[in-house]
Amino acid sequence: MTWISIFTGKSGFAASSTAEDVTKRVDGTGLTAIVTGATSGIGLETARVLALRGVHVVMPVRNMESGKKVKESIVEKIPNAKIDVMELDISSQESVRQFASQYCSKGYPLNILILNAGIMSPPFSLSKDNIELQFATNHVGNFLLTNLLLDTMKKTVKESGKEGRIAILSSEIHRMTYKEGIRFDKINDEKSYSAFSAYGQSKLANVLHAKELTRRFQEEGVKITANAVHPGVIATNLARNGGFNAFFYGVFNRILKNIPQGTATTCYVALNPQVEGVSGEYFADSNLGKASKHAQDAELAKKLWDFSLNLTKSN
């Protein structure tokens, strides 16, 4: 037995709502979406529900064999599903650049970008680009991928007349970052590294990313929205690192969402017409939520953008 809330918010949905509930009667035919981290958990369910609603889903995956098996499992149940599998390691900037180049060369449009892939609280290590692994995977890779695909999204918006949407998976744990929010001068400091605080830092970066993207879209007059999403506490593969994670999920077992419930807010932000024109916000339980004080700091968001540009050497 779990204690998931059945009380609805202003959207008409609750923590107990599923991804199919929040997209009921939504026709996604003609839309194309990228869903990262789609081989398991809420990423897989996101891909499945979007495909169910008629969206052409592109799944960037680290393991192509696993990706193809997921595609087969979805198509078996949804014969008309349109799904493509492409290779991507979001923690590697080289891989991100290769994926973006290949995607653009295929001439696919891009209406929806769902940045779902992530890791949680591993022991300290560096990415291939010598960046602390959680920050590299959960933020820097997403930042670079988004920047490399923005021209495609803008072109799609212009040609289709439909709003583009970016959903970035964050977490309530963005509130539990280091006291300074983002440790710009200590990103790779192993001595003071806290696996949990570093996870919170990367999740704060997700909210700030959506905020700064929104400022830039509004300044440019581009019809693209960017929002951060808290899926809820879910028993997924994020917890596979053990240690604190195992303890955390054990303590909060009574309030765990199942995967269809945990996927709801992502699909709500990606497809539901109620969210049209809403940007720079933080969503939880398929309703507007309130992010932390750090997450609402416009100057911090701008500083993070410049810092991320430097880490990725983007123009």
Side-chain angles (χ1 to χ4, degrees):
M1 179 180 176
T2 60
W3 300 334
I4 297 298
S5 173
I6 61 172
F7 297 104
T8 60
K10 290 183 178 180
S11 69
F13 301 112
S16 57
S17 300
T18 68
E20 290 195 26
D21 292 336
V22 302
T23 59
K24 194 172 293 183
R25 292 185 290 277
V26 174
D27 183 4
T29 304
L31 301 178
T32 299
I34 289 175
V35 182
T36 67
T39 54
S40 65
I42 59 177
L44 192 162
E45 179 69 354
T46 299
R48 185 192 72 81
V49 172
L50 262 60
L52 180 67
R53 302 307 181 209
V55 178
H56 171 203
V57 178
V58 178
M59 296 170 34
V61 300
R62 281 189 303 172
N63 187 310
M64 288 294 288
E65 184 178 346
S66 296
K68 289 174 182 176
K69 287 180 179 177
V70 167
K71 175 183 176 179
E72 290 171 3
S73 71
I74 294 175
V75 172
E76 184 179 354
K77 295 179 181 178
I78 310 171
N80 295 327
K82 188 176 181 183
I83 298 175
D84 285 292
V85 180
M86 297 175 65
E87 190 170 2
L88 169 65
D89 176 358
I90 197 69
S91 71
S92 163
Q93 294 184 30
E94 179 183 8
S95 179
V96 171
R97 292 181 191 280
Q98 288 177 348
F99 168 82
S101 176
Q102 291 169 5
Y103 186 91
C104 293
S105 70
K106 290 178 180 291
Y108 291 154
L110 182 57
N111 304 90
I112 303 165
L113 176 60
I114 298 177
L115 301 170
N116 169 80
I119 58 174
M120 182 179 182
S121 303
F124 180 85
S125 63
L126 298 177
S127 70
K128 294 176 182 177
D129 304 289
N130 292 314
I131 303 169
E132 187 274 311
L133 190 59
Q134 290 193 87
F135 197 73
T137 304
N138 298 349
H139 169 64
V140 178
N142 288 334
F143 176 86
L144 178 59
L145 180 63
T146 303
N147 279 3
L148 293 174
L149 294 173
L150 277 182
D151 283 347
T152 298
M153 286 200 82
K154 291 174 183 178
K155 180 181 178 184
T156 302
V157 168
K158 186 175 181 180
E159 292 180 350
S160 68
K162 297 177 181 178
E163 175 182 86
R165 295 189 183 183
I166 300 173
I168 308 174
L169 271 287
S170 181
S171 167
E172 275 292 285
I173 297 173
H174 82 274
R175 305 178 192 279
M176 303 174 196
T177 181
Y178 299 105
K179 64 179 182 179
E180 58 266 60
I182 306 291
R183 303 198 315 170
F184 295 105
D185 298 327
K186 294 183 178 180
I187 287 294
N188 291 348
D189 187 357
E190 184 175 0
K191 287 185 178 180
S192 60
Y193 176 77
S194 160
F196 190 68
S197 297
Y199 179 70
Q201 173 178 248
S202 70
K203 296 292 97 180
L204 170 61
N206 296 148
V207 188
L208 292 169
H209 185 200
K211 187 175 186 68
E212 180 62 13
L213 276 170
T214 295
R215 187 189 70 79
R216 289 169 179 269
F217 292 150
Q218 291 175 347
E219 191 175 78
E220 195 177 338
V222 177
K223 196 179 177 182
I224 301 175
T225 62
N227 290 291
V229 171
H230 168 55
V233 184
I234 311 158
T236 71
N237 284 341
L238 269 182
R240 62 180 172 266
N241 290 302
F244 180 84
N245 291 352
F247 170 76
F248 179 83
Y249 282 99
V251 169
F252 290 98
N253 183 55
R254 290 286 185 177
I255 58 170
L256 288 179
K257 289 184 177 183
N258 60 37
I259 288 174
Q261 291 168 338
T263 308
T265 307
T266 301
C267 290
Y268 175 75
V269 168
L271 280 183
N272 196 289
Q274 291 181 0
V275 190
E276 184 173 357
V278 179
S279 192
E281 299 290 349
Y282 176 76
F283 284 84
D285 298 334
S286 302
N287 281 275
L288 277 172
K290 186 174 182 180
S292 70
K293 186 176 179 181
H294 278 313
Q296 298 177 59
D297 187 334
E299 288 303 313
L300 185 60
K302 176 64 168 63
K303 186 175 180 179
L304 175 64
W305 182 279
D306 293 340
F307 182 70
S308 304
L309 275 181
N310 185 56
L311 287 177
T312 57
K313 296 181 173 59
S314 296
N315 296 317

